[in-house]
Amino acid sequence: MTDRELIGVGRTAEVFSWDEDHVIKLFRAGFRREDAAFEAQATARIYQAGIAAPAVLLADTPDGLFEEEGRFGVVFERVRGPSMLRELVAHPLRLRTYSREFARLHAEMHATRIPDLPSQRDGILWAVNQGAAAAGRSELAEQARERVSKLLDGDAVCHGDFHPDNVLLSERGPILIDWGPACCGSAAADVARTVLLVKYGGYPIGSPLRARVVIGLLRRLFLR
């Protein structure tokens, strides 16, 4: 990737420049190709439904993925602008404005209906089973499964990983990225997931000490 600009680094992928108007999200070794293909197709449908997501450029392949240097990836519209989290760290006094905008974006998403997105309940159960297998905590997994079985059905579009670092503040307005966990289900459960992410989640890769301190101080106020 020496000829491409590295734009972003995440736990499952890296984002590089593709051309003037697009970026490519290349997934790391071990990431399932079918999950990357789902993110490409889901993001395209979500964009077409009018949610503030990036446009998708699908490849002329069966699953719509591009390949480069042995890695597969998705080509997205290039969204120019910082993340909401980065702006919060740089301008803490804007917390009230950004937290209200964040809540508005979440509510607008949940008011949208897209048929045939994966089941939220099935996705949570899969995560519980994966976590239980890795940690060897079958008793906790059983408690979690019992609670998930009581989750109310819903038909709202849910992001599944909605936090301020997945909101880019562009010239055309906020854009929501990373739709890999997108599903259909309970809006309240999606909000609960966001509360957990904001309250207990880690820090973006490469965050300096100052950013970590500010994020830690702002979390409770942002949630409130």
Side-chain angles (χ1 to χ4, degrees):
M1 294 303 143
T2 55
D3 58 338
R4 296 199 183 280
E5 175 192 359
L6 178 63
I7 295 173
V9 177
R11 290 172 177 79
T12 61
E14 297 173 305
V15 178
F16 295 89
S17 63
W18 180 258
D19 59 31
E20 186 66 23
D21 299 317
H22 298 87
V23 298
I24 184 167
K25 182 176 183 178
L26 288 174
F27 293 90
R28 299 184 186 277
F31 194 84
R32 300 194 308 173
R33 187 179 182 110
E34 56 265 37
D35 291 339
F38 171 77
E39 181 172 346
Q41 299 292 340
T43 306
R45 293 178 64 195
I46 286 160
Y47 174 82
Q48 291 165 4
I51 295 176
V56 183
L57 180 63
L58 296 175
D60 187 19
T61 59
D63 58 10
L65 299 182
F66 288 82
E67 294 193 19
E68 187 155 313
E69 296 186 8
R71 297 169 68 181
F72 54 83
V74 185
V75 172
F76 294 103
E77 163 196 4
R78 184 165 188 166
V79 180
R80 300 181 185 275
S83 73
M84 182 178 284
L85 178 62
R86 181 177 171 183
E87 284 296 282
L88 275 168
V89 171
H91 307 285
L93 293 181
R94 298 180 186 173
L95 180 141
R96 185 179 183 86
T97 297
Y98 285 136
S99 60
R100 287 189 170 190
E101 178 70 358
F102 185 81
R104 182 189 67 79
L105 291 166
H106 216 179
E108 286 186 356
M109 177 199 315
H110 292 153
T112 307
R113 302 292 181 266
I114 299 177
D116 301 326
L117 284 177
S119 160
Q120 181 186 57
R121 180 186 286 107
D122 290 350
I124 297 174
L125 286 173
W126 180 87
V128 167
N129 293 333
Q130 292 293 108
R137 300 298 300 273
S138 58
E139 73 286 355
L140 288 178
E142 189 55 41
Q143 293 175 32
R145 292 189 197 100
E146 182 181 353
R147 294 201 176 197
V148 174
S149 70
K150 299 175 183 177
L151 180 65
L152 296 177
D153 289 323
D155 59 356
V157 172
C158 298
H159 188 284
D161 193 26
F162 192 64
H163 54 76
D165 210 32
N166 275 342
V167 180
L168 301 183
L169 303 177
S170 75
E171 289 185 356
R172 68 179 177 92
I175 304 297
L176 316 182
I177 62 171
D178 288 352
W179 288 93
C183 58
C184 180
S186 164
D190 200 39
V191 171
R193 167 73 171 164
T194 288
V195 170
L196 290 174
L197 289 170
V198 175
K199 193 172 184 179
Y200 300 112
Y203 302 96
I205 294 174
S207 298
L209 178 60
R210 177 187 178 278
R212 292 170 181 255
V213 171
V214 173
I215 291 169
L217 292 172
L218 293 180
R219 279 177 167 172
R220 186 180 298 274
L221 290 173
F222 188 88
L223 285 173
R224 187 180 300 167

